[in-house]
Amino acid sequence: MTSPAAFAATAALMAEPPRAAMLQALLSGEALTAGELARVAGIGAPAASAHLARLVEGGLVAVHPQGRHRYHRLASEEVAAAIETLGGLAADVAPVARRWPHGDAFRAARLCYDHLAGRLGVALHAGLTGRGWIAPAPGGWAATPAGEAGLAALGVDLPAARRARRFACDCMDWSERRAHLAGGLGREIAACCLRRHWVARLPGREEGDSLARRRLALTPEGARRLGEALGVAA
Amino acid sequence: MTSPAAFAATAALMAEPPRAAMLQALLSGEALTAGELARVAGIGAPAASAHLARLVEGGLVAVHPQGRHRYHRLASEEVAAAIETLGGLAADVAPVARRWPHGDAFRAARLCYDHLAGRLGVALHAGLTGRGWIAPAPGGWAATPAGEAGLAALGVDLPAARRARRFACDCMDWSERRAHLAGGLGREIAACCLRRHWVARLPGREEGDSLARRRLALTPEGARRLGEALGVAA
DNA sequence: GCGGTGCTTCGGGCCCGTGCGAAGGACAGG
DNA sequence: CCTGTCCTTCGCACGGGCCCGAAGCACCGC
């Protein structure tokens, strides 16, 4: 926990509609250019540049210059978790009319930064813990021998997962009020599911819809494989 | 999830140091008067009144007038969870010098609004799920028959837990990066532990220390009982 | 090289929100 | 009642933050 001043400073970074729109767009896990983010936020390039500078300065966003583009991503999964949680709270307290129309499709399966969320993400978490594939460890979770074997058989890149700053930890799922899996393992499981077409990105309603790119759907093949391995129901 | 505008509006409620200090103080679960909160925030009564009005209007704080005092509490456990998560993020990104000096004692056991958090809260969550006392259910967790028996034997008031808006759901523990238990059950377990002196409130370093009242310690008796029943280690 | 594009920095105007002091209700106790 | 306390509303001034237009860099492709 921090001093009220530091807490307020971090909250202030999310407290302006343009910055909020940018952060929500970055929750898709994609790296977006300053120009794209300016368009998402509905402001001019100078204003967007200033906002992004503050987000980077505040440690919420990381920037990767590439030629004449500057790609921006969320700085960490902690940032993504905080945005998700705050978004869920805002959905609770906000008048109904101001809610996003994504509702149910969004609750079923979506990306949360770089890992799976929604009912699918929660079911995966329950399957991994219920079958003893992961076990409590300081600072999060560790893979058990059974888990290493099972995950490798699914095609999950465990060495890559281990290279992450954190192997596996929880992340609050705002729509289910339950934890789903984040960390290196969460990222590699999501990557594996996308690579093997067990989940597919849903085509988003275009333009200004900063959340559309996060929507996912479980494919029949994915339902079969994940159901067999981890008891995940469609 | 919500529109960027609603998201930003909620974040803005936390984005001023006085309001942040008030919210952090309310995270102890206590109901505080407007005057006490003004002192915590270090501002005058008029300013505090205006801030509290906005927090109430925004749905983050609930007010209970009693005589000439007005008692304020956090409006819900979702609010507490969002504050905790954001506080953890701020601790990550803030320069070390600005961190609160609570450190380790705070990580071992503390209150999060009305339920147990820290290593103790996470261990309880692991024990409840690991022994099959709670099982996944839509929107959170439900008690299994074994769990009902075990919890009743410990002295947890299950009927009271059921009367809550949500029986049991996860809440992110920022220090452990794992879920602990919130909802009616989380509240009643904490109440039971305090009532039976299995955990004790630690005397806080006084004054201006809005977090001190949240610190807890597991008593020897508590370590024995919770260890036997749920495998919670001291 | 030279234009075109992407992004940033500078300058200036504007609005919102904050803070205090003073005054005005509401409540408890003598 | 009338006093003291708690809290709120009002009025006003200050300051920080946001936004845009114009200009200045940096980089790619021809």
Side-chain angles (χ1 to χ4, degrees):
Chain A
M1 214 61 174
T2 54
S3 70
F7 178 98
T10 304
L13 292 175
M14 309 179 176
E16 292 291 324
R19 286 197 291 265
M22 290 173 167
L23 291 170
Q24 288 189 340
L26 291 172
L27 215 48
S28 69
E30 297 170 306
L32 303 175
T33 67
E36 290 173 311
L37 289 167
R39 239 167 292 130
V40 165
I43 56 178
S49 180
H51 283 304
L52 287 169
R54 294 191 59 180
L55 290 172
V56 170
E57 161 77 24
L60 266 56
V61 164
V63 59
H64 305 276
Q66 244 173 61
R68 57 183 167 185
H69 293 283
R70 285 169 72 93
Y71 285 94
H72 298 264
R73 336 177 34 107
L74 296 185
S76 68
E77 61 206 1
E78 280 82 5
V79 176
I83 297 171
E84 280 265 324
T85 306
L86 204 58
L89 174 61
D92 280 350
V93 301
V96 185
R98 303 184 74 178
R99 284 195 208 160
W100 249 187
H102 292 276
D104 294 337
F106 210 59
R107 288 181 135 82
R110 64 177 182 277
L111 279 173
C112 169
Y113 183 47
D114 61 6
H115 52 267
L116 300 173
R119 284 194 295 274
L120 174 60
V122 165
L124 275 170
H125 189 283
L128 289 166
T129 54
R131 313 218 160 186
W133 285 20
I134 57 176
W141 302 91
T144 62
E148 293 192 7
L151 289 165
L154 283 175
V156 175
D157 187 345
L158 280 172
R162 281 190 219 292
R163 281 194 294 274
R165 188 168 46 85
R166 210 180 282 276
F167 174 68
C169 60
D170 283 351
C171 177
M172 256 307 273
D173 196 292
W174 59 263
S175 59
E176 301 303 304
R177 304 284 175 210
R178 287 254 308 283
H180 58 240
L181 200 71
L185 182 57
R187 182 189 68 212
E188 292 306 322
I189 289 176
C192 172
C193 289
L194 281 166
R195 190 182 340 119
R196 309 209 154 192
H197 300 105
W198 294 347
V199 302
R201 286 178 189 268
L202 286 181
R205 321 177 183 47
E206 304 294 313
E207 213 42 51
D209 188 343
S210 55
L211 277 65
R213 311 171 107 139
R214 300 179 53 197
R215 295 169 60 220
L216 298 174
L218 192 61
T219 64
E221 172 74 1
R224 193 175 63 74
R225 291 301 305 273
L226 294 178
E228 283 172 8
L230 288 163
V232 173
Chain B
M1 214 61 173
T2 54
S3 70
F7 178 96
T10 303
L13 292 175
M14 309 179 176
E16 293 289 324
R19 286 197 291 264
M22 290 173 167
L23 291 170
Q24 288 190 341
L26 291 172
L27 215 48
S28 68
E30 296 171 305
L32 302 176
T33 66
E36 290 173 311
L37 289 167
R39 238 166 294 130
V40 166
I43 55 177
S49 180
H51 283 304
L52 288 169
R54 293 191 62 179
L55 290 172
V56 170
E57 161 77 23
L60 265 56
V61 163
V63 59
H64 306 275
Q66 246 174 59
R68 57 184 166 183
H69 294 282
R70 285 169 72 93
Y71 285 94
H72 299 264
R73 339 176 32 108
L74 296 186
S76 69
E77 61 206 1
E78 279 83 4
V79 176
I83 297 171
E84 280 264 325
T85 306
L86 204 59
L89 174 62
D92 280 350
V93 301
V96 185
R98 302 184 74 178
R99 283 194 208 160
W100 249 188
H102 291 277
D104 293 337
F106 210 58
R107 287 179 133 85
R110 64 178 182 276
L111 278 173
C112 170
Y113 182 45
D114 61 5
H115 51 268
L116 300 173
R119 284 194 295 274
L120 174 61
V122 164
L124 274 169
H125 188 284
L128 290 166
T129 54
R131 312 218 161 185
W133 284 20
I134 58 176
W141 303 90
T144 62
E148 294 192 6
L151 290 165
L154 283 176
V156 175
D157 187 345
L158 280 171
R162 279 189 222 293
R163 283 193 292 274
R165 188 167 46 83
R166 209 179 282 277
F167 174 68
C169 60
D170 282 352
C171 178
M172 255 308 272
D173 196 291
W174 59 262
S175 60
E176 301 304 301
R177 305 286 176 208
R178 286 255 305 285
H180 59 240
L181 200 70
L185 182 57
R187 183 190 66 213
E188 292 306 322
I189 289 176
C192 172
C193 288
L194 281 166
R195 188 181 343 115
R196 309 211 154 192
H197 301 105
W198 295 347
V199 302
R201 287 179 188 267
L202 285 182
R205 324 179 183 41
E206 303 295 310
E207 214 40 52
D209 188 343
S210 55
L211 276 65
R213 309 171 107 139
R214 300 177 56 197
R215 296 168 60 218
L216 298 175
L218 192 61
T219 63
E221 172 73 2
R224 194 175 63 75
R225 292 301 307 271
L226 294 177
E228 283 171 8
L230 287 163
V232 172

